[in-house]
């Protein structure tokens, strides 16, 4: 992330946004007790998520962010792993649920985003739920991302992409700023 974006992700304004967005995304989802978070950044989303589940493993590609979050949440129910969510160092079917808040647009191509979806499918147990949200395209989004990665995720095609990765799409809802999704790794593949 560029410096402006990094400071926005730590700001009181963003905290206020995610205090609404995280419950919106998690509403109605049973993630189980062993949850994977993709791209926690400074961890404002992790702070809310960790109150709801027994154990979180958060994978963050930026080693500085990963190290500072790991130091901040040391001894808690969160383990932070430095790594790339498109090629995760986790076993098949390791997690009961997965979450992604405002990170997929940071993955630098649609192909890598689709690889990430296949990776989440692989590390979720059959029946495991994957939920998340991403921001919609806007002038503000483009300004925040000057000098940074922005590969917008179109909510109108995201369901098809989740299905291509093997998920059943349970729900996809959009508002003017963001969209959320609920998907599930089917218990048995045909
Ligand atoms: C905009 S921040 C969102 C942070 C947090 N989820 C939130 O909503 O406040 C996106 C984060 O995803 C991380 N990220 C981007 N690509 C990633 C990848 N391939 N694997 C893991 N993390 C990644 C970035 O380093 C950044 O910390």
């Amino acid at each position: 992330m560029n410096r402006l974006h990094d400071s926005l992700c730590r700001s009181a304004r963003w905290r206020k946004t995610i205090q609404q967005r995280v419950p919106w995304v998690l509403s109605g989802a049973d993630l189980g007790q062993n949850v994977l978070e993709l791209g926690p950044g400074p961890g404002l989303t992790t702070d809310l998520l960790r109150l709801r589940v027994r154990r979180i493993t958060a994978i963050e590609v930026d080693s500085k962010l990963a190290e500072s979050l790991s130091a901040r949440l040391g001894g808690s129910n969160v383990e932070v792993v430095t790594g790339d969510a498109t090629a995760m160092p986790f076993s098949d079917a390791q997690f009961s649920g997965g979450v992604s808040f405002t990170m997929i647009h940071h993955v630098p191509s649609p192909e890598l985003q689709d690889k990430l979806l296949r990776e989440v499918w692989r590390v979720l147990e059959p029946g495991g739920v994957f939920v998340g949200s991403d921001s919609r395209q806007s002038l503000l989004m483009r300004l925040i991302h000057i000098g940074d990665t922005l590969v917008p995720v179109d909510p109108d095609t995201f369901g098809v992409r989740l299905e291509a990765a093997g998920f059943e799409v349970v729900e996809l809802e959009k508002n003017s700023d963001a969209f959320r999704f609920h998907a599930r790794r089917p218990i048995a593949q045909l």
Side-chain angles (χ1 to χ4, degrees):
M1 288 190 287
N2 66 30
R3 286 178 66 183
L4 166 66
H5 199 171
D6 181 60
S7 64
L8 278 174
C9 279
R10 300 170 188 274
S11 66
R13 180 180 163 168
W14 184 242
R15 194 178 288 276
K16 207 170 159 197
T17 300
I18 61 166
Q19 275 166 355
Q20 296 177 334
R21 198 170 289 180
V22 169
W24 180 54
V25 169
L26 299 183
S27 161
D30 181 1
L31 291 167
Q33 295 302 325
N34 186 20
V35 174
L36 172 69
E37 182 181 13
L38 310 178
L44 271 61
T45 46
T46 319
D47 290 337
L48 298 177
L49 185 63
R50 77 187 193 85
L51 302 175
R52 296 173 173 247
V53 296
R54 191 183 308 154
R55 178 180 159 76
I56 299 175
T57 302
I59 183 165
E60 170 56 58
V61 77
D62 181 319
S63 57
K64 280 193 182 151
L65 285 172
E67 281 160 24
S68 73
L69 185 60
S70 182
R72 181 164 78 75
L73 295 181
S76 75
N77 59 343
V78 180
E79 181 189 2
V80 184
V81 173
T82 303
D84 179 353
T86 69
M88 291 193 268
F90 304 128
S91 312
D92 294 356
Q94 185 175 328
F95 297 100
S96 57
V99 302
S100 158
F101 295 107
T102 321
M103 74 78 67
I104 299 176
H105 71 265
H106 275 273
V107 176
S109 70
E111 291 73 24
L112 279 173
Q113 293 174 351
D114 290 341
K115 187 164 184 255
L116 174 146
L117 299 181
R118 293 195 297 275
E119 270 293 88
V120 177
W121 184 95
R122 179 183 70 75
V123 301
L124 281 187
E125 60 192 28
V129 169
F130 178 38
V131 304
S133 60
D134 213 319
S135 300
R136 300 190 65 188
Q137 265 282 35
S138 68
L139 179 60
L140 179 63
M141 275 288 276
R142 288 196 290 279
L143 289 175
I144 294 170
H145 289 81
I146 287 173
D148 203 341
T149 305
L150 171 59
V151 179
V153 181
D154 180 352
D156 293 333
T157 56
F158 193 62
V160 173
R161 295 173 70 190
L162 282 165
E163 285 170 358
F167 287 100
E168 286 170 358
V169 178
V170 179
E171 198 168 349
L172 226 157
E173 183 184 358
K174 50 189 178 180
N175 63 29
S176 54
D177 301 325
F179 73 93
R180 71 166 187 161
F181 61 90
H182 283 195
R184 184 187 300 115
R185 174 174 168 166
I187 287 175
Q189 288 293 295
L190 296 176

